[in-house]
Amino acid sequence: MQNRDGGELGPLKELILRTCGFTFEQGRERSLAEGVAARMVERGIDCRSAYHALVARDREELNALVELLTVNETYFFREPDHLNLVADLLLGEVMAAGEARPVKILSAGCSTGEEAYSIAMMLRERWGAESERLFTVTGVDIDSGAVAAALRGVYGRGSFRGIGAEQLQRHFDPVGQGEYRVREEIRKLVRFEVVNLLNPFYPQAMQLSDVILYRNVSIYFPQEVQRRIFSNLAGLLNGGGYLVVGATETIHHDIGVLSLVQRNALFCYRKEPLQFRFVERREARRNGPPVTRSAPGAVPRSPHFREGVRPQPGEGKQKAAWDPGETKALFDTALELACQGKADEPLELLETVLSRHPGFAKALTLKASLLVNAQHLEEAAGLCQGLVARDPLCLEGYLMLGVIARHLGDEEEGLKRFREALYLAPGCWLAQFYSAEILAGRKDLKRARSGYETALRLLEKGEFREGALFPLSFNAGQFQAICRHKLSQLKE
């Protein structure tokens, strides 16, 4: 077995980056080589290429390798200033908003659970038994072994370097020599799940969070993955919610997705409350009064909360555990109906989809497309602006904003949005086509011709998947004919 990388680790590095977001550059390559060597011995494999083939087809083996590679270096009350900021100020701000529901706290990249339990202990110290009614804490991590340890709640001396003897006695019970278990009154405040933060769908327990702790996790990710995950987490926040990162990570996440704010000499990120108006289509046609609903990003009431009634353990659990496959099927049905020229039925289906997954980009852009067709341009623009604010890498959001700007006659804004789309995906035929349309109207014939030629070439090669939702009645042959006609006009 070769000990040098020699290109042999390249396929494994690419696979892990694609599936988990982890990068192994410079000094971290050694930990990857050691982890691979250990797993190869465990599985009786003496060839790295054979092991890579195994990892590529066996999800359990990939998980076993990832567990060796993740560094679960954490302890109770790590970086206590940020934890105190959450417990003493941020939660109070959220509660002052007056929403009659438990406040949701998420520990993203929770490792073996010390951070989530630390928050639960602080809640118990400040609100006593009422904390069970007022708050929920969820910890998620990609490492199933770490999550299993968090669920056990048993810790050795290494986890207690940030905790005093009084807190140790108050919140833990001794279970062996040098080991302690988190007391039941703390453990029942917290739930844990295995979650890959790079996956497009997050479980229901993570949705509509009020405070997210995402500390000392992003250092394992390359910049593009950092932006993607940060944007995804921002999309989980309720309006007015906070996202707290590690002290050394703060400046790296100032990418315009959330507002960087200062609280008590510390910095964190806040999602500004956004409210968009959604008008019920049938009532609007009857000229009746519009119905106002909360948009993705606003603070909705929990669907399982009943006024004045404390949620019981497990209550509403079956209804909340939506199947991502079922949600995608609803979206596919909505798309099919929209392509048939229908409006009300797909909008109703999309309301259901977005109630389950508020950050589902394709559902948001399909809804915006339907709103544009119905000339509800301002509402469509609000949807897409919220989408790109949550995910600055969302191609479809920029495309839709460009389409809306063209409908509003704002060619400068439209061209800007299509250029942003082309920056993300130079091969996007639709951005090329609409940019050419605007440039032709400005008599910038050379660049317009280039845009039409590029769009035509992409369409002829069949590379038009990225623009499938725009327009809904998309026909590749029709757009090829339009491009040829435009080019013939420019030649004349």
Side-chain angles (χ1 to χ4, degrees):
M1 187 190 312
Q2 262 185 290
N3 291 324
R4 294 177 301 150
D5 188 331
E8 287 193 42
L9 284 176
L12 278 170
K13 288 162 67 175
E14 182 181 345
L15 175 64
I16 295 170
L17 175 62
R18 186 172 67 252
T19 56
C20 306
F22 297 141
T23 184
F24 294 90
E25 303 299 336
Q26 300 174 352
R28 295 197 68 220
E29 290 182 350
R30 180 178 178 180
S31 66
L32 175 59
E34 291 174 350
V36 169
R39 290 305 304 167
M40 288 173 64
V41 170
E42 180 72 20
R43 299 301 297 263
I45 298 173
D46 59 5
C47 174
R48 276 186 180 166
S49 60
Y51 181 72
H52 173 255
L54 172 65
V55 172
R57 69 174 183 270
D58 188 335
R59 184 72 192 191
E60 290 187 4
E61 180 57 33
L62 175 61
N63 291 340
L65 177 60
V66 168
E67 287 182 19
L68 284 180
L69 301 175
T70 51
V71 180
N72 297 311
E73 170 58 29
T74 185
Y75 50 91
F76 289 103
F77 298 100
R78 186 180 185 182
E79 293 185 3
D81 289 345
H82 281 97
L83 295 178
N84 285 319
L85 175 69
V86 170
D88 295 332
L89 181 62
L90 303 188
L91 292 179
E93 287 190 17
V94 172
M95 296 169 74
E99 287 291 322
R101 57 174 176 77
V103 174
K104 295 182 68 172
I105 303 161
L106 172 65
S107 172
C110 68
S111 186
T112 46
E114 284 92 333
E115 178 179 78
Y117 283 133
S118 295
I119 285 290
M121 292 173 198
M122 298 175 84
L123 298 178
R124 186 78 186 188
E125 288 173 354
R126 288 158 174 78
W127 280 277
E130 278 288 283
S131 57
E132 297 177 33
R133 181 181 65 84
L134 296 173
F135 307 99
T136 65
V137 182
T138 300
V140 300
D141 199 276
I142 191 174
D143 186 339
S144 59
V147 171
L151 289 168
R152 286 194 300 272
V154 176
Y155 299 91
R157 296 189 184 278
S159 295
F160 298 115
R161 70 191 81 168
I163 195 170
E166 182 183 350
Q167 285 178 309
L168 181 63
Q169 185 177 6
R170 186 187 311 149
H171 299 303
F172 295 85
D173 293 316
V175 292
Q177 189 168 2
E179 289 191 328
Y180 298 83
R181 183 190 299 275
V182 180
R183 286 188 173 172
E184 179 64 21
E185 64 188 27
I186 302 300
R187 293 172 62 193
K188 64 184 178 183
L189 275 172
V190 187
R191 60 177 295 173
F192 295 97
E193 292 193 36
V194 177
V195 173
N196 182 347
L197 294 176
L198 203 58
N199 282 348
F201 291 114
Y202 291 153
Q204 187 65 25
M206 297 174 65
Q207 304 290 336
L208 304 174
S209 295
D210 295 296
V211 174
I212 297 177
L213 294 159
Y214 178 53
R215 305 189 304 160
N216 307 304
V217 179
S218 66
I219 55 175
Y220 299 112
F221 303 131
Q223 186 175 12
E224 181 180 346
V225 175
Q226 287 182 13
R227 291 172 62 96
R228 180 176 170 186
I229 292 177
F230 185 82
S231 299
N232 289 344
L233 292 176
L236 298 177
L237 277 175
N238 279 318
Y242 289 93
L243 199 159
V244 180
V245 298
T248 61
E249 302 170 293
T250 303
I251 193 65
H252 301 297
H253 293 293
D254 191 12
I255 56 176
V257 176
L258 297 174
S259 299
L260 183 61
V261 297
Q262 185 174 1
R263 297 286 189 274
N264 288 357
L266 298 171
F267 288 92
C268 57
Y269 289 93
R270 185 171 189 258
K271 184 170 188 174
E272 300 300 332
L274 297 174
Q275 292 187 349
F276 305 122
R277 292 175 62 249
F278 291 81
V279 181
E280 189 70 37
R281 311 295 160 224
R282 293 193 179 102
E283 291 188 16
R285 281 202 305 269
R286 291 196 298 264
N287 296 319
V291 176
T292 302
R293 300 179 186 170
S294 296
V299 186
R301 188 183 300 272
S302 167
H304 304 293
F305 182 85
R306 297 193 300 274
E307 192 72 43
V309 179
R310 172 182 168 181
Q312 297 301 310
E315 181 178 352
K317 197 169 185 178
Q318 282 187 315
K319 291 183 180 179
W322 289 305
D323 179 6
E326 178 190 350
T327 304
K328 185 179 184 302
L330 287 174
F331 168 77
D332 291 340
T333 301
L335 177 58
E336 183 179 352
L337 291 169
C339 291
Q340 294 171 6
K342 298 178 181 178
D344 288 343
E345 294 172 76
L347 282 168
E348 290 173 1
L349 289 172
L350 290 171
E351 289 285 343
T352 302
V353 170
L354 292 169
S355 71
R356 300 178 180 188
H357 294 289
F360 192 170
K362 288 188 180 294
L364 287 167
T365 47
L366 176 56
K367 182 169 187 174
S369 198
L370 290 166
L371 291 172
V372 168
N373 288 347
Q375 293 300 305
H376 297 291
L377 301 180
E378 184 179 347
E379 188 176 340
L383 271 180
C384 294
Q385 287 163 359
L387 178 58
V388 299
R390 287 190 296 273
D391 182 5
L393 304 180
C394 179
L395 171 66
E396 291 176 310
Y398 294 107
L399 283 173
M400 200 68 243
L401 285 170
V403 170
I404 293 167
R406 287 196 73 227
H407 277 271
L408 292 171
D410 190 345
E411 292 187 350
E412 191 66 35
E413 176 69 11
L415 190 59
K416 172 191 170 185
R417 294 303 189 178
F418 292 131
R419 283 174 175 165
E420 288 171 332
L422 289 172
Y423 175 78
L424 293 176
C428 177
W429 75 268
L430 190 70
Q432 295 283 5
F433 176 83
Y434 278 134
S435 294
E437 290 278 88
I438 294 173
L439 293 168
R442 293 180 169 187
K443 305 301 181 184
D444 190 345
L445 304 186
K446 183 178 179 180
R447 288 202 296 163
R449 186 181 299 112
S450 175
Y452 285 128
E453 288 172 346
T454 302
L456 179 59
R457 183 170 63 253
L458 292 168
L459 288 164
E460 288 175 339
K461 290 170 64 178
E463 297 179 5
F464 45 78
R465 179 175 57 86
E466 289 172 332
L469 297 183
F470 314 104
L472 292 172
S473 56
F474 169 70
N475 180 287
Q478 181 183 18
F479 271 91
Q480 289 176 40
I482 293 172
C483 286
R484 294 190 186 101
H485 176 68
K486 296 285 187 178
L487 287 168
S488 66
Q489 285 184 321
L490 291 176
K491 286 180 181 178
E492 295 172 2

